[in-house]
Amino acid sequence: MASFIITFREALEAVLIVSIIFAFLNTNKLSSYKKHVYLGITLGIVSSIIFGMILGTLEEHFAEAFEGIFSLIGAFLITTLILWLHKNKNFGKEIQNKLNSSLNKNFGITLILLVTVNILREGFETVIFLSAIPGDASIIYAILGIVVAVVLGYLLYIGILKVNISIFFTVTNVLLILFAAGLIAYGIHELQEAGWFPIIIEHIYDINSFINEKGTFGGFLKTLFGYNGNPSLIEFIAYWTYLIPSMFFAFRKKEIKNNLNQ
């Protein structure tokens, strides 16, 4: 489930950006430049795969410390992503403005770079997030997430499907915040096992008899939200220190925007 949500969210962002660019080319009768977009998509995907292979090689040599570090990096990237989306509500218009300003300045190269960088960014984040999932990421569900995102993006592009993108991103932002909080707790847990962080109090409580983290439901919560039935003191503090302000910020920003609109 975590693998599906991650790849679906990241792939959909990439698909929406590409759709915006295609719509711009169609509107301005610049269809001849679509080959540059396809080249950018190819370069972005290939670069992401190469990065994933390099990361996989590193993971084999560093185990617990690797998982801990990349869990924290994943949480940081999720947070910056959410902040960026809050700040850039009209990123579609911004992309079109960039394209307009570069029409007479090596437009083909600009298209290739714009698409490549955006695909690579989403690919980079996807690889980091999947690497940070507690346990093993599901390749099948990861691929399924990409396929569903591409199909959904295409249906949106041709106008068959109508979806409130704002509501979609609000819901997925909440899921990502929960996921990031879990990554922080899991990252600290792994670094404690690697001896990089002090433990202080190893288990401040133990509810595994109620919801076992190694059981079906507990394993689902652990993979998606970093659930730990017997967390250490530092894990517990880090989880709630991140989660509460992040949730408040996510909903507070929406409230402020609604008040301004009124």
Side-chain angles (χ1 to χ4, degrees):
M1 191 62 173
S3 302
F4 176 85
I5 290 175
I6 289 168
T7 55
F8 174 71
R9 166 68 184 247
E10 296 300 317
L12 186 59
E13 285 184 37
V15 170
L16 289 176
I17 290 172
V18 171
S19 297
I20 291 168
I21 294 173
F22 274 141
F24 175 87
L25 295 178
N26 291 336
T27 301
N28 292 277
K29 299 181 180 179
L30 297 169
S31 297
S32 60
Y33 283 97
K34 286 185 178 180
K35 60 179 180 290
H36 296 82
V37 178
Y38 290 122
L39 178 58
I41 293 172
T42 303
L43 291 174
I45 292 174
V46 170
S47 300
S48 299
I49 292 173
I50 292 173
F51 175 72
M53 294 172 64
I54 294 172
L55 209 58
T57 302
L58 292 174
E59 186 176 10
E60 293 177 0
H61 294 86
F62 295 100
E64 291 174 348
F66 176 93
E67 290 189 10
I69 291 171
F70 277 90
S71 291
L72 297 179
I73 292 175
F76 172 77
L77 288 175
I78 288 174
T79 305
T80 56
L81 168 65
I82 293 170
L83 291 173
W84 184 86
L85 286 173
H86 271 300
K87 186 178 179 181
N88 300 275
K89 296 287 186 180
N90 298 315
F91 66 91
K93 291 182 179 179
E94 291 181 11
I95 291 174
Q96 291 188 351
N97 290 335
K98 286 181 181 179
L99 294 174
N100 275 319
S101 63
S102 62
L103 274 175
N104 299 317
K105 301 175 184 177
N106 299 318
F107 185 62
I109 296 176
T110 300
L111 270 180
I112 294 172
L113 291 176
L114 180 62
V115 175
T116 301
V117 169
N118 277 286
I119 298 292
L120 180 57
R121 185 192 68 194
E122 304 301 340
F124 174 83
E125 291 175 352
T126 299
V127 171
I128 293 292
F129 297 160
L130 292 178
S131 298
I133 289 178
D136 296 323
S138 170
I139 299 300
I140 294 176
Y141 278 95
I143 294 174
L144 182 61
I146 295 173
V147 172
V148 172
V150 171
V151 172
L152 178 60
Y154 178 73
L155 293 177
L156 289 170
Y157 172 67
I158 62 178
I160 292 179
L161 188 63
K162 301 293 182 181
V163 174
N164 190 316
I165 296 298
S166 177
I167 293 177
F168 166 79
F169 279 117
T170 298
V171 172
T172 54
N173 278 353
V174 171
L175 290 175
L176 286 177
I177 289 172
L178 289 168
F179 182 61
L183 285 183
I184 290 174
Y186 178 72
I188 289 175
H189 174 79
E190 292 301 300
L191 291 176
Q192 285 177 328
E193 289 197 349
W196 288 31
F197 271 25
I199 294 177
I200 303 179
I201 299 177
E202 188 170 5
H203 305 302
I204 60 173
Y205 59 78
D206 190 339
I207 57 173
N208 277 320
S209 58
F210 178 62
I211 301 178
N212 195 317
E213 63 190 58
K214 295 182 180 179
T216 302
F217 183 61
F220 170 80
L221 293 178
K222 179 179 179 179
T223 303
L224 194 56
F225 302 126
Y227 169 76
N228 186 351
N230 53 355
S232 69
L233 176 64
I234 297 179
E235 282 181 70
F236 181 83
I237 292 174
Y239 181 88
W240 290 104
T241 299
Y242 174 85
L243 184 62
I244 294 174
S246 297
M247 284 294 187
F248 175 80
F249 174 80
F251 288 102
R252 180 64 178 169
K253 291 287 283 188
K254 185 178 179 181
E255 180 184 329
I256 291 172
K257 184 174 182 292
N258 289 337
N259 289 337
L260 288 175
N261 289 336
Q262 292 173 4

